[in-house]
Amino acid sequence: YRDIVKNLNFKNFHSDRLDILHQFDYLFWCGDLNYRIDYDREEVIKLVELGKYDELFRYDQLQKEISQE
């Protein structure tokens, strides 16, 4: 969320810093913000069945995003 707001660029506005949250009465967020496990589906099922969640954690897209901050 912070990265999305920080990187918004409205070329029609003449302000260097546009506070998007206070410019409108309603603001709708649309997009795919659901994170997934970036690994083969069948392998994920096997690892879940074996209870190897630590190994799945390595392929978690959200964790990858967090570590890049």
Side-chain angles (χ1 to χ4, degrees), residues 25-57:
D25 293 327
Y26 298 97
L27 183 63
F28 296 92
W29 292 97
C30 300
D32 184 3
L33 301 175
N34 295 314
Y35 292 96
R36 295 169 179 82
I37 296 174
D38 212 5
Y39 202 51
D40 180 68
R41 184 179 189 276
E42 297 302 319
E43 291 298 318
V44 169
I45 292 170
K46 287 179 189 176
L47 292 171
V48 168
E49 289 172 347
L50 295 172
K52 294 187 175 185
Y53 303 110
D54 290 341
E55 190 167 340
L56 288 173
F57 196 69

Side-chain angles (χ1 to χ4, degrees), residues 35-39 55-66:
Y35 292 96
R36 295 169 179 82
I37 296 174
D38 212 5
Y39 202 51
E55 190 167 340
L56 288 173
F57 196 69
R58 296 184 330 185
Y59 301 100
D60 181 52
Q61 292 174 346
L62 177 59
Q63 294 306 312
K64 288 180 183 180
E65 290 289 326
I66 291 171

Side-chain angles (χ1 to χ4, degrees), residues 9-14:
N9 184 10
F10 293 97
K11 294 180 181 180
N12 294 337
F13 289 96
H14 299 288

